[in-house]
Amino acid sequence: MEPTFDITITSRKIVAQILENYTLEQLNTIPEGFSNNLIWNIGHIVVVQQMLVYRLSGLPMMVSEELVEKYKKGTRPLQDATQADVDEIKALLFATIHQTKTDFENAIFKDYTEFTTAVGFHIKSAKDAMAFNYFHEGLHIGIIMSIRKFV
């Protein structure tokens, strides 16, 4: 699992740079032709990782249901994120991955509700979910890189 976590940490470092280098206004801007903004994409990758690995394993997530409702698949920003929202996402960005790594080391993932993703990946375990997660984060990093050109 070490390469999976190395890839995910690298992905999160890229995203962290966006949080550090863009203003709150820029993070909230939805450019023409896009349905979401920078902060939504970042919040989304945090929430989806938790849902994929923990919720589908029947375990408590590190993210609140309120955050899930704002950033899960199929949502879009209904209002601008506040600085407190950005700070919460920033704090969760690495904490969630470090905790997930610890939880894998402690073998807490026993059960998993299998499902097939919208792009056709069939996920059978928390380990599969982490492997799919870095693919998912890569897609959203691509979107983030596109959005940042317009803000």
Side-chain angles (χ1 to χ4, degrees), residues 27-30 34-41 69-72 74-81:
L27 292 171
N28 279 302
T29 298
I30 302 173
F34 291 86
S35 59
N36 291 307
N37 53 29
L38 293 169
I39 194 61
W40 183 90
N41 278 278
E69 289 305 312
K70 282 184 185 179
Y71 298 106
K72 69 183 179 183
T75 63
R76 57 185 318 253
L78 299 177
Q79 61 192 31
D80 283 353

Side-chain angles (χ1 to χ4, degrees), residues 31-149:
E32 189 174 330
F34 291 86
S35 59
N36 291 307
N37 53 29
L38 293 169
I39 194 61
W40 183 90
N41 278 278
I42 297 168
H44 177 73
I45 66 170
V46 170
V47 162
V48 167
Q49 183 271 334
Q50 289 287 291
M51 292 175 71
L52 284 171
V53 177
Y54 288 87
R55 179 172 277 173
L56 290 171
S57 293
L59 298 169
M61 298 184 295
M62 289 181 64
V63 297
S64 67
E65 283 303 318
E66 179 184 12
L67 217 59
V68 169
E69 289 305 312
K70 282 184 185 179
Y71 298 106
K72 69 183 179 183
K73 180 181 176 183
T75 63
R76 57 185 318 253
L78 299 177
Q79 61 192 31
D80 283 353
T82 64
Q83 188 59 52
D85 296 329
V86 173
D87 292 343
E88 178 182 18
I89 291 167
K90 189 185 297 187
L92 289 167
L93 199 58
F94 292 102
T96 51
I97 299 306
H98 294 308
Q99 185 61 53
T100 303
K101 183 177 181 188
T102 298
D103 290 343
F104 268 100
E105 290 166 353
N106 292 327
I108 73 161
F109 301 103
K110 307 288 185 204
D111 299 318
Y112 196 81
T113 302
E114 294 184 29
F115 83 107
T116 302
T117 69
V119 293
F121 287 96
H122 188 73
I123 300 177
K124 298 179 184 179
S125 66
K127 184 177 178 182
D128 290 353
M130 275 307 297
F132 174 76
N133 184 68
Y134 62 75
F135 167 81
H136 177 258
E137 289 194 17
L139 290 174
H140 283 278
I141 287 173
I143 294 166
I144 289 167
M145 295 305 164
S146 293
I147 290 174
R148 73 187 179 122
K149 295 176 185 177

